[in-house]
Amino acid sequence: MAWTKKILRVNLTDGVIQAEPLNMEWAQQYLGQRGLATRYLVEEVDSQVDALSPENKFIMATGPLTGTMASTGGRYSCITKSPLTGAIACSNSGGFFGAEMKNAGWDMIILEGKSPTPVYLYVEDSEARLIPADDLWGKSVWATDEEIHKKHQDPQIRIACIGRAAESGNLFAAVVNDLHRAAGRSGVGTVLASKNVKAVALRGTRGVGNLKDPMRFMNATFEHKQVLAANAVTGAGLPTYGTQVLMNVINELGALPTRNMREVRFEGAHSVSGEAMHEPRASDGKKNLTRNGGCFGCTIACGRISTVDRTHFSVKDKPQYWGNSGGLEYEAAWALGPDTGVDDLDALTYVNFLCNEDGLDPISFGATVAAAMELFEDGVLTTADTGGIELKFGSAEALVQITELTARGEGFGKEIGLGSKRLCEKYGRPELSMTVKGQEFPAYDPRGIQGMGLTYATSNRGACHLRSYTVSSEVLGIPIKTDPLVTDGKPELVIAFQDATAAVDSSGLCIFTTFAWSLDNIAPQIDAACEGDWSVEKCAEVGARIWQLERDFNMRAGLTGADDTLPKRLLKDAANVGPAEGKVCDLDAMLPKYYELRGWTTDGQLTSETRQRYGLPS
Amino acid sequence: MQKSLHIDPEKCTGCLQCEMACSYENEGVFNPSKSRIKVFTFHDEGRFVPYTCTQCDEAWCLQACPVDAIVLNFATGAKDILNDRCVGCKVCTIACPFGTVNYNTATGKVIKCDLCGGDPKCAEACPTSAITYVDANATGLERMRMWAAKTDTQTSAHA
């Protein structure tokens, strides 16, 4: 079992809140979280609706292992139609919020319609109500979190909320839970803002149980925790350096996108790396990294808890930023650092704090700033546009200024909030936008890691590393080493990763376990917890079904095969240094084979045989 | 040999595996809100601190109980709650200076750490050894070892 088998449905328009049973037939086909919520979204939302209209719905969903002792079993996802991409959005987050939802007795919360005035949803086990939030509107995530805790006089409430960025209409605003964990990508926070929902606050005391075979579950989770502990990545690399363990590795490989992806290696990479976060700073002898912090149930604990040097220009007059908070993860460090050319670790840590404080996706934000910097350098943007900011590559001062504005939705920050695609189109230089389907790239240059080119091009939520992290295979050799510069075999590799990832994202577990775990480790844990047969094959099939269903949603929304492409810069301009020197991303060598293996037509549409094979809804 | 729970907050990552292990052992479900051990987060300071009953020798809770429902377990040194005697008066929750005895609204009884009868599940579940179960006479051993390692063999120490 493991599912609570209950959904909380909240109609924001008329304020009616109802409990309803989970569709267990769908749970057997889509598992939970990402997959199951997608099934609900497909059923209930016309994929052509305006993402910011009341007709769109917003689903927060846990997986069957969320809230259990399985390592990393604390995840939840936000599923909705994205205002940034027009495609499906599915943003996954850790922290403690997901487990609290499960402990309150809910597999999912579905928010529909639009509240006439700002509200937050408060859930205490089986009781739920909408509470006016006029006083919270206009406040940051951090202020909102504090206010709600105060209001209920309960420090144990877990809160997910939006900041001022989402309220201002920023198209890549995040939902932030537990102060510094985020459902970051695709503008899920913007959708919540469009519904006048400031926060969801939860308190759960019911416990998570109903395991199919408790003894087998405890043994399986214990056994596979040992696998994580013994693995070089999950047992040593990630605890020590966090995901920032990658900064120097990817730079060496010549696959670190630099200055809006013009270059593939950043001369300042070491200064903003995981290793640098361990180096005592001159002013007070302290390290940037205070310690690593785990999300709920996580025995890896890659999370960074950091401080900014209080003598640094960005915070020296702002004591409210002198304490600890969520530190730099690799993707954020890359987008805010190498992609903007800034090599100042304290500046990056501070602007990362701001991204959490007001709910910005640091990847899309940093990449959009990078595009704006290129526009500025080309003279398309001037200080007249930016409100006086000298938006030059490498300027930590400019980065700090533009982050403060974007976080609050002020001045030129409003323009940054359009995202890179709309910004570059507005200023007549669409080719400078490093996006797929309107979503900004993460931190791996597909000229040096070819599989990631196919990953980005075909990702159902726009450019993203978390849909098929072939970096594992192409760089780290997990589960088998493949040559990052070769395209042969990559369609198969990408599909295997996409399907397995979709299954993991639907279970309640964290994808970072897959540095050590394959479905061989994960399926037995799901199978011990959940009714039905959850073999490795079934999990892979469920993953494939989820992928097809997401694709189906996107195709019905009006996307086409033509959207499965990359910016010209990556297809035409060769890498200038490193192992990939002289290479472009050879997408054409991979995409047709990928379509064929997926059972799609040559223009990327699902065939009726494919729809039938996976039992997709008509 | 009697053993004690030994907590080293420096090693804690705040993952709550201990709270789940505790509640699963005692309640049969994963339920941090019913855990006898709690991890506190001091966000600004960047610290996580697990905290639970220290099993005081002269236990205030035991002495305060009007119905003798809290008894010394001679095997483990723990102060155990006898559920069939506890009347849920909560006097022990007031007597405990550390707040580690708490009332459970679901059962009408109080709950506290009983060292799982000598096999504490929190220590078993902790992935970083922030919680260990060690010789009660030498809980300072690891810290002594740490300082011993820092001594300079060229100079002598004076106590």
Side-chain angles (χ1 to χ4, degrees):
Chain A
M1 291 185 247
W3 298 278
T4 69
K5 303 187 180 180
K6 273 168 53 191
I7 294 178
L8 185 69
R9 186 180 292 277
V10 180
N11 186 315
L12 297 159
T13 308
D14 57 21
V16 173
I17 302 177
Q18 285 175 306
E20 66 181 48
L22 186 72
N23 186 322
M24 291 309 294
E25 193 185 324
W26 290 354
Q28 286 296 327
Q29 293 169 330
Y30 294 94
L31 187 54
Q33 203 176 346
R34 174 176 166 185
L36 193 49
T38 299
R39 182 65 189 85
Y40 273 86
L41 193 77
V42 165
E43 186 76 12
E44 299 185 13
V45 173
D46 177 348
S47 57
Q48 297 200 354
V49 300
D50 175 351
L52 299 179
S53 71
E55 286 70 40
N56 193 10
K57 296 192 183 186
F58 183 91
I59 306 177
M60 287 174 151
T62 64
L65 299 191
T66 305
T68 72
M69 258 182 98
S71 184
T72 77
R75 312 294 301 187
Y76 80 101
S77 295
C78 296
I79 293 92
T80 187
K81 181 175 175 175
S82 163
L84 184 70
T85 64
I88 194 160
C90 173
S91 298
N92 182 308
S93 182
F96 299 85
F97 180 86
E100 198 74 17
M101 190 192 306
K102 200 73 174 290
N103 261 283
W106 305 105
D107 287 318
M108 282 189 205
I109 297 174
I110 301 180
L111 301 172
E112 52 192 40
K114 177 183 179 176
S115 172
T117 53
V119 290
Y120 69 96
L121 176 68
Y122 178 70
V123 180
E124 194 177 313
D125 291 335
S126 56
E127 290 171 38
R129 60 185 198 271
L130 293 166
I131 298 176
D134 305 270
D135 57 332
L136 299 174
W137 210 257
K139 292 202 161 128
S140 71
V141 166
W142 292 359
T144 301
D145 189 280
E146 190 178 344
E147 294 277 326
I148 292 177
H149 278 114
K150 263 191 205 160
K151 195 174 287 195
H152 294 271
Q153 290 287 301
D154 183 354
Q156 300 192 75
I157 293 171
R158 305 288 190 184
I159 297 163
C161 63
I162 56 166
R164 290 171 287 188
E167 291 176 15
S168 75
N170 178 306
L171 291 173
F172 48 82
V175 172
V176 179
N177 57 280
D178 305 292
L179 298 174
H180 58 85
R181 309 306 314 185
R185 303 227 69 191
S186 314
V188 292
T190 319
V191 175
L192 212 50
S194 77
K195 300 192 169 306
N196 262 332
V197 174
K198 182 67 181 176
V200 176
L202 307 170
R203 181 84 160 87
T205 67
R206 300 162 68 96
V208 176
N210 292 331
L211 305 169
K212 182 173 77 181
D213 186 340
M215 185 75 85
R216 182 150 64 89
F217 182 75
M218 293 303 276
N219 289 339
T221 54
F222 184 81
E223 176 191 340
H224 295 294
K225 277 176 207 165
Q226 308 309 310
V227 176
L228 292 178
N231 181 275
V233 179
T234 53
L238 285 175
T240 308
Y241 295 113
T243 52
Q244 275 273 67
V245 68
L246 288 165
M247 185 64 78
N248 287 322
V249 175
I250 302 296
N251 195 42
E252 279 304 306
L253 199 69
L256 188 71
T258 299
R259 286 175 279 267
N260 202 32
M261 306 191 92
R262 283 192 314 208
E263 300 149 67
V264 294
R265 214 174 240 174
F266 183 45
E267 66 285 354
H270 178 78
S271 312
V272 297
S273 67
E275 287 83 349
M277 290 167 73
H278 276 272
E279 289 165 8
R281 49 194 176 216
S283 66
D284 58 5
K286 286 185 181 163
K287 299 184 285 187
N288 173 282
L289 179 74
T290 302
R291 71 178 67 251
N292 52 334
C295 294
F296 184 94
C298 179
T299 59
I300 304 171
C302 72
R304 306 289 90 183
I305 310 288
S306 286
T307 57
V308 184
D309 182 344
R310 51 181 80 176
T311 65
H312 188 261
F313 79 88
S314 60
V315 300
K316 66 176 161 48
D317 300 320
K318 300 170 194 153
Q320 68 269 36
Y321 297 104
W322 290 358
N324 283 273
S325 196
L328 291 165
E329 316 289 342
Y330 172 61
E331 309 298 332
W334 162 77
L336 303 169
D339 205 30
T340 66
V342 175
D343 64 0
D344 178 335
L345 184 64
D346 286 294
L348 301 195
T349 306
Y350 169 64
V351 300
N352 190 60
F353 279 11
L354 295 186
C355 286
N356 289 328
E357 185 183 21
D358 265 302
L360 288 172
D361 167 11
I363 302 178
S364 283
F365 168 67
T368 303
V369 171
M373 284 174 163
E374 189 160 359
L375 289 168
F376 190 88
E377 205 159 89
D378 286 1
V380 180
L381 280 175
T382 66
T383 50
D385 302 297
T386 63
I389 301 173
E390 292 280 343
L391 208 54
K392 290 180 181 161
F393 281 118
S395 168
E397 290 79 7
L399 177 66
V400 163
Q401 287 175 309
I402 195 61
T403 311
E404 289 172 346
L405 288 176
T406 310
R408 294 165 199 153
E410 295 167 357
F412 189 67
K414 289 275 277 186
E415 303 268 290
I416 294 292
L418 293 170
S420 151
K421 177 168 180 274
R422 290 169 178 82
L423 182 79
C424 292
E425 280 170 357
K426 179 171 176 176
Y427 288 94
R429 298 288 298 278
E431 76 280 6
L432 296 187
S433 171
M434 298 299 118
T435 50
V436 173
K437 302 183 176 84
Q439 178 156 285
E440 293 73 11
F441 281 86
Y444 312 88
D445 198 297
R447 289 168 288 201
I449 311 174
Q450 295 284 326
M452 289 308 283
L454 184 60
T455 287
Y456 295 151
T458 60
S459 162
N460 284 331
R461 67 169 185 177
C464 172
H465 57 297
L466 292 171
R467 286 297 172 270
S468 50
Y469 193 72
T470 58
V471 173
S472 275
S473 168
E474 299 180 88
V475 178
L476 305 171
I478 303 167
I480 43 151
K481 183 76 173 79
T482 53
D483 186 337
L485 300 178
V486 164
T487 55
D488 278 356
K490 294 300 161 66
E492 293 85 347
L493 186 74
V494 166
I495 287 173
F497 270 78
Q498 285 174 338
D499 293 352
T501 301
V504 175
D505 285 348
S506 302
S507 68
L509 303 180
C510 177
I511 193 65
F512 289 175
T513 57
T514 59
F515 288 115
W517 287 352
S518 67
L519 288 180
D520 291 336
N521 307 85
I522 292 167
Q525 300 184 65
I526 299 173
D527 188 64
C530 299
E531 67 191 47
D533 153 52
W534 292 96
S535 62
V536 170
E537 296 69 30
K538 163 95 179 270
C539 289
E541 183 200 314
V542 165
R545 180 179 297 119
I546 294 164
W547 192 265
Q548 298 283 0
L549 186 63
E550 290 175 338
R551 175 76 176 189
D552 196 34
F553 180 93
N554 288 349
M555 292 295 112
R556 288 168 191 253
L559 277 75
T560 68
D563 295 300
D564 298 333
T565 189
L566 298 171
K568 280 207 185 70
R569 178 164 283 172
L570 305 174
L571 298 172
K572 304 283 183 211
D573 301 350
N576 58 343
V577 290
E581 187 176 349
K583 275 207 166 278
V584 296
C585 180
D586 195 359
L587 183 63
D588 286 344
M590 299 182 279
L591 196 60
K593 175 80 175 171
Y594 173 90
Y595 278 5
E596 185 193 327
L597 292 169
R598 275 291 182 204
W600 299 345
T601 62
T602 50
D603 57 357
Q605 299 287 339
L606 280 73
T607 62
S608 53
E609 293 78 33
T610 301
R611 305 178 56 83
Q612 206 165 8
R613 183 181 160 201
Y614 292 101
L616 300 192
S618 52
Chain B
M1 177 178 64
Q2 200 176 101
K3 287 180 152 189
S4 279
L5 280 176
H6 182 61
I7 291 173
D8 182 354
E10 189 59 32
K11 292 178 179 165
C12 179
T13 64
C15 76
L16 308 191
Q17 280 281 339
C18 55
E19 295 193 11
M20 279 189 282
C22 177
S23 55
Y24 188 76
E25 174 71 10
N26 290 291
E27 308 287 334
V29 287
F30 306 113
N31 188 353
S33 75
K34 295 286 190 289
S35 174
R36 279 79 169 148
I37 186 166
K38 298 295 286 182
V39 179
F40 293 89
T41 300
F42 299 92
H43 183 261
D44 214 40
E45 299 166 37
R47 289 204 304 146
F48 305 102
V49 185
Y51 200 81
T52 190
C53 174
T54 61
Q55 315 295 348
C56 310
D57 265 9
E58 290 188 31
W60 280 266
C61 60
L62 182 151
Q63 292 174 10
C65 180
V67 294
D68 295 332
I70 304 181
V71 297
L72 170 66
N73 180 325
F74 287 98
T76 62
K79 312 302 175 291
D80 294 353
I81 311 276
L82 301 178
N83 270 335
D84 50 356
R85 274 197 216 163
C86 175
V87 295
C89 74
K90 315 179 194 65
V91 171
C92 55
T93 69
I94 300 164
C96 174
F98 307 108
T100 55
V101 190
N102 285 283
Y103 181 64
N104 181 359
T105 53
T107 60
K109 314 278 181 191
V110 293
I111 56 176
K112 71 177 282 300
C113 172
D114 64 359
L115 299 173
C116 297
D119 181 20
K121 300 300 176 190
C122 55
E124 182 183 295
C126 179
T128 60
S129 299
I131 307 166
T132 49
Y133 195 48
V134 300
D135 180 353
N137 294 304
T139 52
L141 204 64
E142 264 309 302
R143 196 173 298 176
M144 283 166 74
R145 190 197 305 281
M146 189 185 83
W147 285 105
K150 287 183 183 175
T151 53
D152 181 344
T153 51
Q154 300 304 308
T155 58
S156 57
H158 302 278

